[in-house]
Amino acid sequence: MIITISREFGSGGRELGKRLSDKLQIPYYDKEIITLASRNLGFEENYVSRMSEKGIKAAYALTIGHRLMPQGIDHTVFQTIQVNAEQHNIIRDLARQGNCIIIGRCADIILAEYAPFSIFVYADMASKIIRCMDRMQEGEHLSRKETAKQIREIDRNRRSLRKTYSDDHWGAKENFSLCINTSGIEIKAIVPSVAEYAKAWFLSRKTEENLK
Amino acid sequence: MIITISREFGSGGRELGKRLSDKLQIPYYDKEIITLASRNLGFEENYVSRMSEKGIKAAYALTIGHRLMPQGIDHTVFQTIQVNAEQHNIIRDLARQGNCIIIGRCADIILAEYAPFSIFVYADMASKIIRCMDRMQEGEHLSRKETAKQIREIDRNRRSLRKTYSDDHWGAKENFSLCINTSGIEIKAIVPSVAEYAKAWFLSRKTEENLK
């Protein structure tokens, strides 16, 4: 039972993953992957987090207009590749260990051979803004407009990261088992039924395969 | 509780609707809408069915290259508009009567003001071919290739019909509450969890609206 969750920023995908993990009693990995990667590579967590947000292409793109200092840039590109490779290995290791839920990081592609139950979570901009503003930390003050800008920026990175691994269009429903629109609803409310759906999906796929 | 189901041909959307109707104990309308429309208009059911498959635009498109017999074509266009208008009214009447599930016919757009729980059902071509071949009637013999062609043709009509009502891209996940990929799974298996999801969705939307 390998479940992957891809999501638009602010759509509640991480919360869904966390709650599904509680409900299904299987581990859940999100930032833990960053922690492991930074430990393995001996890099700062923040650095790894930033490196892994954008794809390798984005790192290469940085070289444009920086001809005067090629060495520093090469270094960044190299470390971005390293970070991505390390995360790839960690995700494969976690899946080998057994049932789990993995958030983001193109895990649905990295683990394609496991035929994971892959979820894409999305929402309209109004709902994403509300969700982001609700979870802002104390001292953080972004206007609705700034929040929308941040959402678009992070999703642009995710789209770019996806391109590192696949030619498919980020969020195209064809690549996912279930696409959940969280506009105007509470994540908590849908968790039991999504957990049931996942269990039924795994069981049914197995039955169908046996019929072949 | 108004539920609409849009679907790719062969994805099992109709079966899902029928089974959800049993599970949730609310009526389900699919071909019944054709029957009602043909009765109201005094047309043959088959004729109404064909008229309603394609959009109004498709009927207009027929006029191209048929300049020599404009009267007959005008008639077809007029009747296509009539059939679409009649279906529109029937769908609105059904929704006014109370909880229901409506399959196809762009009901999610026609009933937008009800904020229906809108499902889009899709699958990969291999699964759709298997599903179509499994339900072929006795005496019907289509090869896999012919079945695939039929699937593409019917979906082309549905895409065209969508354009009669909306500028949105047919099947774009943003326009639906839940998108279900039925590749390699049995419809029966997912019905209980989809029914639960729908109930939770309606309840959660109501709560969120009250919070505003």
Side-chain angles (χ1 to χ4, degrees):
Chain A
M1 210 187 208
I2 309 277
I3 299 177
T4 65
I5 300 184
S6 308
R7 74 291 182 223
E8 290 177 0
F9 188 71
S11 68
R14 184 209 306 254
E15 186 188 341
L16 178 64
K18 217 167 149 49
R19 288 184 184 275
L20 273 181
S21 152
D22 286 345
K23 189 81 194 170
L24 294 167
Q25 293 286 302
I26 60 178
Y28 144 94
Y29 303 106
D30 180 10
K31 290 192 177 149
E32 293 75 5
I33 296 166
I34 301 281
T35 311
L36 282 166
S38 58
R39 198 184 301 154
N40 294 354
L41 294 168
F43 296 161
E44 286 284 328
E45 263 191 58
N46 274 343
Y47 181 70
V48 170
S49 177
R50 254 180 304 130
M51 289 279 124
S52 71
E53 264 174 18
K54 300 189 180 193
I56 292 167
K57 267 186 209 170
Y60 271 105
L62 282 176
T63 58
I64 299 164
H66 285 81
R67 304 268 159 133
L68 291 177
M69 43 166 199
Q71 232 170 350
I73 294 298
D74 275 357
H75 191 64
T76 306
V77 170
F78 177 71
Q79 289 195 338
T80 306
I81 296 175
Q82 250 189 316
V83 165
N84 274 278
E86 190 56 35
Q87 286 198 53
H88 178 103
N89 288 336
I90 291 168
I91 288 170
R92 295 187 65 82
D93 274 350
L94 292 173
R96 258 191 297 268
Q97 283 167 36
N99 296 346
C100 63
I101 298 173
I102 298 179
I103 314 289
R105 284 156 251 281
C106 301
D108 58 314
I109 300 174
I110 292 170
L111 300 176
E113 74 198 75
Y114 288 88
F117 179 63
S118 56
I119 303 177
F120 192 88
V121 188
Y122 60 104
D124 58 27
M125 189 50 96
S127 296
K128 291 190 283 193
I129 290 175
I130 290 172
R131 223 172 246 123
C132 286
M133 296 189 97
D134 281 353
R135 73 179 181 213
M136 264 177 206
Q137 271 149 17
E138 220 176 309
E140 217 180 340
H141 297 293
L142 287 182
S143 67
R144 287 178 60 86
K145 215 172 151 182
E146 286 163 335
T147 307
K149 199 182 152 203
Q150 191 194 36
I151 290 171
R152 276 193 295 267
E153 207 174 294
I154 293 176
D155 280 353
R156 207 176 303 127
N157 287 341
R158 289 183 180 171
R159 195 172 287 119
S160 158
L161 180 63
R162 185 93 188 171
K163 284 207 200 311
T164 304
Y165 291 96
S166 161
D167 273 338
D168 69 27
H169 177 67
W170 183 64
K173 67 180 186 307
E174 288 68 25
N175 305 310
F176 297 95
S177 319
L178 190 68
C179 299
I180 300 177
N181 187 340
T182 57
S183 306
I185 58 168
E186 249 197 326
I187 301 298
K188 204 167 70 175
I190 58 169
V191 170
S193 55
V194 175
E196 284 314 304
Y197 189 102
K199 284 195 258 179
W201 187 90
F202 281 108
L203 213 62
S204 181
R205 271 198 85 101
K206 222 173 148 187
T207 315
E208 290 288 298
E209 265 160 37
N210 288 344
L211 283 177
K212 270 179 205 165
Chain B
M1 211 188 207
I2 308 279
I3 300 178
T4 65
I5 300 185
S6 308
R7 73 291 182 222
E8 290 176 1
F9 188 71
S11 68
R14 184 209 306 255
E15 185 188 341
L16 177 64
K18 217 169 149 49
R19 289 185 184 275
L20 273 181
S21 151
D22 286 345
K23 190 80 192 168
L24 294 167
Q25 293 287 303
I26 60 177
Y28 144 94
Y29 303 105
D30 181 9
K31 292 192 177 148
E32 293 75 6
I33 296 167
I34 301 282
T35 310
L36 282 167
S38 58
R39 199 184 302 155
N40 294 355
L41 295 168
F43 297 161
E44 285 284 328
E45 262 192 60
N46 274 342
Y47 181 71
V48 170
S49 177
R50 255 181 303 129
M51 287 280 125
S52 72
E53 264 173 19
K54 302 190 179 192
I56 292 167
K57 267 186 209 170
Y60 272 105
L62 282 175
T63 58
I64 298 165
H66 285 82
R67 305 269 160 130
L68 291 178
M69 41 167 200
Q71 231 170 354
I73 294 299
D74 273 357
H75 191 64
T76 307
V77 171
F78 177 71
Q79 289 195 338
T80 307
I81 296 174
Q82 251 189 316
V83 164
N84 273 278
E86 190 56 36
Q87 286 197 55
H88 177 103
N89 288 336
I90 291 168
I91 289 169
R92 295 186 65 84
D93 273 349
L94 293 172
R96 257 191 297 268
Q97 283 167 35
N99 296 345
C100 62
I101 299 174
I102 297 179
I103 314 290
R105 285 156 251 279
C106 301
D108 57 315
I109 300 175
I110 292 171
L111 301 176
E113 74 199 75
Y114 289 88
F117 179 63
S118 55
I119 303 178
F120 192 89
V121 188
Y122 61 104
D124 58 27
M125 189 50 96
S127 296
K128 290 190 284 192
I129 290 174
I130 291 172
R131 222 172 247 124
C132 286
M133 297 188 95
D134 280 354
R135 73 178 180 212
M136 263 178 209
Q137 274 151 13
E138 221 176 307
E140 216 180 341
H141 296 292
L142 287 182
S143 67
R144 287 178 61 85
K145 215 172 149 180
E146 287 163 334
T147 307
K149 199 182 152 202
Q150 193 195 35
I151 291 170
R152 276 192 294 268
E153 207 174 294
I154 294 176
D155 280 353
R156 207 176 303 126
N157 286 343
R158 289 182 181 172
R159 196 172 288 119
S160 157
L161 181 62
R162 185 93 187 170
K163 283 207 203 309
T164 303
Y165 291 96
S166 161
D167 273 338
D168 68 27
H169 177 66
W170 185 65
K173 67 181 185 307
E174 286 69 25
N175 305 312
F176 298 95
S177 318
L178 190 68
C179 299
I180 300 178
N181 187 339
T182 57
S183 306
I185 59 167
E186 248 196 328
I187 300 298
K188 203 167 69 176
I190 59 169
V191 170
S193 54
V194 175
E196 284 314 305
Y197 189 101
K199 283 194 259 178
W201 187 90
F202 281 107
L203 213 62
S204 182
R205 272 200 83 103
K206 222 173 148 189
T207 315
E208 290 288 298
E209 263 161 38
N210 288 343
L211 282 176
K212 270 180 204 163

